[in-house]
């Protein structure tokens, strides 16, 4: 079992902006979803965990080893798929993986080949190994990104917004792949798409303004909202401002009708009860003052 323990972590950038505000998290094997809107601080947290930047204060302990004082251990056991991979060099998928494997310290050529062949199969790119990565589609690039992250059999895999820009089929395939991997390692997935974490993650945390607002198992978090979510469709000339005294958690167009979903401890007039979804929990959490 692998464990990542983050304690009272703070990060203030050079310009004085505090992107991480006293975060503590315990994460073990399986898939952990970090949910938050753009600007919440997800990438800042991930870059700090992988050692690309040092926190201002606090600790990150991976498998009982202090990752800030001894960054080598986590680096040797890490797979990272950053939000922006940058520009790919003009070499084939195979050669790029071989190059990254060397950087990861896999010095034996036969061993590298063995791993690369297996990984290309795992991410279903075996037929494209001689093509240059910059010619790949978005989904293929992300799967290549997973393959490079998996080189060297990491114990912790961190993927930052991996499904942004993928079409639904690619997203689905990508999520199945991540799910497959997460049995024996820690996978931390950041996203602003609730759908991606709902079915995949055994645990989630909702982050905003540098803070973890809530964390827990999706099922339990949703259960908290049982009998507290209500919805109604607005009539053509009905104004939303009638309902401004309710805690509005979403506004949606369904079949060209405007639907209002609210949080309420007791039954609001003219609203129908709705089974709580993780989306409701997410938006409800974001509307609460930290
Ligand atoms: N290097 C940096 N210097 C100053 N501010 C930064 C830096 N990187 C990110 N930020 C700011 O920190 C906040 C969180 O950004 P980020 O971690 O990228 O959030 P997310 O990944 O959740 O969208 C944003 O307001 C962003 O502008
Ligand atoms: Mg980000």
């Amino acid at each position: 079992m692998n464990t990542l323990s983050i304690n009272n972590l703070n990060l203030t950038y050079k310009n004085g902006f505090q992107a991480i505000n006293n975060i503590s998290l315990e994460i073990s094997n399986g898939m952990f979803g970090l949910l938050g809107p753009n600007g919440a601080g997800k990438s800042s947290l991930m870059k700090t965990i992988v050692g690309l930047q040092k926190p201002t204060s606090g600790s990150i302990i991976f498998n009982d080893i202090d990752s800030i004082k001894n960054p080598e251990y986590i680096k040797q056991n890490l797979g990272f798929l950053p939000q922006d991979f940058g520009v790919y060099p003009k070499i084939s998928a195979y050669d790029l993986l071989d190059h990254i494997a060397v950087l990861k310290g896999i010095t034996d050529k036969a061993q590298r080949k063995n791993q690369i062949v297996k990984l290309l199969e795992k991410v279903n790119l075996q037929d494209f190994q001689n093509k240059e990565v910059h010619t790949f589609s978005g989904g293929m690039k992300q799967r290549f990104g997973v393959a490079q992250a998996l080189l060297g059999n990491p114990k912790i895999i961190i993927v930052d917004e991996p499904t942004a820009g993928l079409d639904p089929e690619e997203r689905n395939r990508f999520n199945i792949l991540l799910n497959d991997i997460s049995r024996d390692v820690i996978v931390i997935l950041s996203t602003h798409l609730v759908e991606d974490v709902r079915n995949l993650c055994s645990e989630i945390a909702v982050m905003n303004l540098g803070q973890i607002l809530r964390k827990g198992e999706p099922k339990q978090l949703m259960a908290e909202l049982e009998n507290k979510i209500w919805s109604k469709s607005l009539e053509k000339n009905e104004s939303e401002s009638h309902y401004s005294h309710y805690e509005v958690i979403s506004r949606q167009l369904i079949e060209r009708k405007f639907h209002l979903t609210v949080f309420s401890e007791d039954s609001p007039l003219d609203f129908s009860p709705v089974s709580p979804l993780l989306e409701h929990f997410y938006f409800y959490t974001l509307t609460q003052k930290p």
Side-chain angles (χ1 to χ4, degrees), residues 141-155:
K141 275 185 186 147
Q142 289 303 69
R143 280 184 278 139
F144 177 85
V146 171
Q148 66 75 27
L150 289 178
L151 279 170
N153 299 317
K155 296 187 168 90

Side-chain angles (χ1 to χ4, degrees), residues 205-224:
V206 177
M207 179 171 191
N208 200 15
L209 305 172
Q211 291 177 298
I212 300 293
L213 303 178
R214 291 296 310 278
K215 59 194 169 196
E217 291 173 30
K219 249 196 194 148
Q220 284 179 357
L221 298 174
M222 284 188 282
E224 286 180 18

Side-chain angles (χ1 to χ4, degrees), residues 259-270:
H259 282 248
L260 200 61
T261 304
V262 303
F263 172 92
S264 173
E265 295 281 352
D266 30 56
S267 162
L269 201 64
D270 294 339

Side-chain angles (χ1 to χ4, degrees), residues 96-144:
L96 186 51
L97 285 176
D98 193 60
H99 175 72
I100 296 168
V102 171
L103 294 180
K104 283 197 174 185
I106 312 169
T107 48
D108 183 82
K109 191 165 184 191
Q111 200 188 337
R112 284 203 303 275
K113 182 169 183 183
N114 184 17
Q115 267 200 38
I116 292 168
V117 168
K118 279 194 191 136
L119 281 175
L120 283 168
E121 257 169 47
K122 187 166 210 161
V123 301
N124 203 16
L125 287 175
Q126 66 275 27
D127 297 341
F128 304 95
Q129 59 170 324
N130 296 321
K131 284 201 88 174
E132 293 178 4
V133 183
H134 67 96
T135 66
F136 282 3
S137 72
M140 289 164 76
K141 275 185 186 147
Q142 289 303 69
R143 280 184 278 139
F144 177 85

Side-chain angles (χ1 to χ4, degrees), residues 30 49 108 114 117 130 180 210 219 225 228 230 234 273 281 286:
I49 296 171
D108 183 82
N114 184 17
V117 168
N130 296 321
D180 236 25
K219 249 196 194 148
L225 296 183
K228 292 174 185 169
W230 309 86
L234 298 191
F281 179 82
L286 290 181

Side-chain angles (χ1 to χ4, degrees), residues 4 27 32 34 46 49 156-159 186-190:
L4 179 72
I27 301 174
F32 186 92
L34 185 64
M46 295 184 134
I49 296 171
I156 177 167
I157 296 166
I158 296 185
V159 288
I186 293 176
V187 177
I188 305 177
L189 162 87
S190 89

Side-chain angles (χ1 to χ4, degrees), residues 233-250:
S233 63
L234 298 191
E235 294 310 319
K236 266 222 164 72
N237 41 24
E238 199 176 13
S239 154
E240 191 194 318
S241 60
H242 280 123
Y243 304 100
S244 58
H245 51 292
Y246 292 120
E247 277 188 72
V248 175
I249 60 173
S250 82

